[in-house]
Amino acid sequence: MKALAPLTIINGRLVLPLGEPQLGAVRCEGDRIVALGGAVQPQDGDRVLDAKGALIAPGLVDLGVFAIDKPAFHFGGITRAALMPDQATVLDKPAAVRFAAQSGKPDLWVHPLAAATRDLAGGDIAELALMRDAGARAVATGRRWIADSGTMHRLLSYCAMLGLTVVTHAEDEGLTGGAVATAGEMATRLGLPSAPAEAEALAVARDLALAEMTGARLHFRQVTTRAALDLIRAAKARGVAVTAGVTPAHFMLSDVALGDFRTFTRLSPPLRSEADRQAVRAALVDGTIDVISSGHDPRGPEDKRLPFSDAEPGMAGAETLLPLTLGLVRDGVFDLARAFALLATNPAQLLGVDAGQLQVGHQADLAVVDPDKPWIVDSNKMAAAAGNTPFDKQGVEGRVLHLFKGGAAVG
């Protein structure tokens, strides 16, 4: 294959780790960024793209998707996706991990998360060292919490030795059972099976205690309640190696959105109270939450066109991840630098990949973004494999104009 000419993107606003975007350019050779700033100029033979004042930002790193859905990822500016082990063939063996790691190249890099236990059953620890060598970037418990504390202790101890982060789901299934909503006024009015929000805090408290004992790195994929966030905030202050994530649904919506029984709002964890939603927004500002991810889980009519209690949880989130996060920037919740830290830099660091920020020597995974371009989310017209979005027919702002993976144009 013929090598690509160097790429220079000019007249853009560079989204840097600190401060407001700066007018300048970025130049790439091969798959790496070689120069950026206000003085950078294209050289003879370069491919040149005029950003015309749009943002030049790192490609998004989506931590914890449930399907490889390249059209949706590319629409949303995602150049790397960490794939959850909950697949038709569970990612609990080296061969499955190796296959997944190659499945998106060259225009999307998939970083598999190895199953913590065999068949994700919560019992025997899987072949973690072999899966790490096959390309797993972290270990995940999948959609479920490991209820056996002895198993979780062994898992964290082993992963601490291997240098692998454990990505865990935070709901005590002894309390959640078959619940589809958070206990409270809305669940009572609608007659939905519900569980107390404290199920999350109980799971978080147990896993934090074990992480502190073992010295393991622990990431809670979604933290959605004030009580659990308070526990993580305190653990970080003690020096525990813990990080936390959330999806836009839990900073945009409360359980009031369940009112019409629309199954696009059937999520796991379920939507919470307005007080918890506000606590999530505060945690995004103060650093308690480190990552915003899409939770991308496209589900067709066979999973969603059912009574609410029978529908499968999940949302198609890749296409709305960027504009919904940019909405918080417009609302003054945080600045652009913080937005892309949550969407790209922090998840890249958690996975141990040299991407996620504009930095010389890093991978040339780049998105040219118009943060003000308006559009309407339409579940019937989405690029995703299915359009199960709780933001259907909502107006948003922010579109990716151009996307590059390793310096090569995508699409």
Side-chain angles (χ1 to χ4, degrees), residues 323-341:
L324 292 172
T325 303
L326 291 177
L328 296 184
V329 176
R330 284 190 296 277
D331 291 345
V333 177
F334 45 64
D335 62 12
L336 273 169
R338 174 67 177 155
F340 280 93

Side-chain angles (χ1 to χ4, degrees), residues 42 76 123 131 138 205 239 250 260 264 269 336:
M131 289 191 287
H250 287 94
D260 61 0
F264 285 178
L336 273 169

